[in-house]
Amino acid sequence: MEKITFNLTELHNHGSAFFEFLALRKQFFVDQLGWEIPHDDDVEMDQYDNPKAYYSLVLKDGKVVGGMRAMATTAQWGSHTYMLRDAVDGKLIGIPADIIPHAEVTPNVWEATRVVISDTLATHAERSECLGLVLDGVVEQATAQGATEIIALCPPIFARTLRQLGYPAKIIGEPYTNLHDERRYVAMAMPAVRRKGKTAPQVVPMPEATHMMQPQAVHAPSKI
């Protein structure tokens, strides 16, 4: 497996990889979980897939088998910022406004969202290798822009998974149960530092929700 990283100005350098990532997201979030989020017959794509976003994808035999989206907490595109801040501001349905104590707005902190791993990776070894490579790519992009920390919404067990992969994570909020998929999520943070020993990745048991690092996010109804 190999990782590739890019933003929207660079995606043309990677053939169909971006489309394949959006298609993989659609297969999981829409087809499997049944989320009512923007999609067509082929792909899932939301308001955070904009020119402020960065992507870290993993390829196996030339095909995308995993990926993640990330952006700085200073990002803003139209009326949207980043997902956790928009939740705190009441712009999203399904994520509590008190999910984190404070919404950071600093180039030092990035948010990671929409992580997905293909079901074609059937073993714990393959899935842990893929997730580790995805995270490596996000950290490389974030640190290149001066970031020191990455935040995300994850299943609580993900904190342990990230630590075992070499990325020490800490819980920064209170868990809640998502009404759409009835799974528990919590905000967590990890330092944007290259992990040690990544040349010999540890086999890490993957939690059931390995596919997700961010629950459903939908526009809140207009108050006007």
Side-chain angles (χ1 to χ4, degrees), residues 155-208:
I157 196 174
F158 240 96
R160 179 184 176 189
T161 299
L162 294 174
R163 293 184 197 114
Q164 290 175 319
L165 283 170
Y167 285 113
K170 62 180 180 180
I171 303 297
I172 59 173
E174 294 296 325
Y176 79 101
T177 300
N178 184 279
L179 297 179
H180 301 283
D181 58 23
E182 298 184 348
R183 301 185 185 193
R184 286 173 64 78
Y185 296 91
V186 68
M188 58 184 64
M190 72 177 202
V193 178
R194 292 174 183 268
R195 59 181 171 140
K196 298 179 180 179
K198 65 179 180 180
T199 55
Q202 183 180 2
V203 177
V204 179
M206 294 287 104
E208 180 184 357

Side-chain angles (χ1 to χ4, degrees), residues 87-100:
V88 170
D89 289 343
K91 295 178 181 179
L92 302 179
I93 297 172
I95 304 176
D98 60 354
I99 187 64
I100 52 176

Side-chain angles (χ1 to χ4, degrees), residues 147-158:
T148 58
E149 186 175 62
I150 296 171
I151 59 175
L153 272 182
C154 313
I157 196 174
F158 240 96

Side-chain angles (χ1 to χ4, degrees), residues 18-222:
F18 182 61
F19 183 90
E20 291 179 26
F21 174 54
L22 299 179
L24 188 60
R25 283 166 41 177
K26 192 263 182 179
Q27 291 168 16
F28 181 69
F29 295 111
V30 178
D31 297 343
Q32 294 186 39
L33 291 186
W35 286 2
E36 295 181 3
I37 49 180
H39 69 279
D40 61 14
D41 290 340
D42 300 309
V43 301
E44 176 267 309
M45 189 175 187
D46 68 13
Q47 63 268 32
Y48 303 104
D49 293 298
N50 62 54
K52 301 296 184 178
Y54 289 76
Y55 298 88
S56 173
L57 309 185
V58 173
L59 308 180
K60 182 180 181 183
D61 299 325
K63 296 294 182 180
V64 174
V65 293
M68 180 184 292
R69 176 182 64 197
M71 62 176 57
T73 57
T74 53
Q76 182 158 358
W77 190 253
S79 62
H80 294 282
T81 59
Y82 64 95
M83 195 174 287
L84 279 171
R85 184 181 175 191
D86 284 351
V88 170
D89 289 343
K91 295 178 181 179
L92 302 179
I93 297 172
I95 304 176
D98 60 354
I99 187 64
I100 52 176
H102 172 70
E104 297 284 353
V105 183
T106 169
N108 296 332
V109 180
W110 277 39
E111 179 191 56
T113 57
R114 283 300 195 264
V115 66
V116 63
I117 295 176
S118 172
D119 288 338
T120 61
L121 301 182
T123 68
H124 286 316
E126 288 181 314
R127 296 176 74 80
S128 60
E129 179 183 359
C130 181
L131 181 58
L133 287 171
V134 168
L135 290 166
D136 290 345
V138 169
V139 168
E140 289 170 8
Q141 290 174 305
T143 56
Q145 302 295 323
T148 58
E149 186 175 62
I150 296 171
I151 59 175
L153 272 182
C154 313
I157 196 174
F158 240 96
R160 179 184 176 189
T161 299
L162 294 174
R163 293 184 197 114
Q164 290 175 319
L165 283 170
Y167 285 113
K170 62 180 180 180
I171 303 297
I172 59 173
E174 294 296 325
Y176 79 101
T177 300
N178 184 279
L179 297 179
H180 301 283
D181 58 23
E182 298 184 348
R183 301 185 185 193
R184 286 173 64 78
Y185 296 91
V186 68
M188 58 184 64
M190 72 177 202
V193 178
R194 292 174 183 268
R195 59 181 171 140
K196 298 179 180 179
K198 65 179 180 180
T199 55
Q202 183 180 2
V203 177
V204 179
M206 294 287 104
E208 180 184 357
T210 296
H211 302 75
M212 297 182 294
M213 253 181 157
Q214 199 80 25
Q216 182 174 4
V218 183
H219 290 283
S222 174

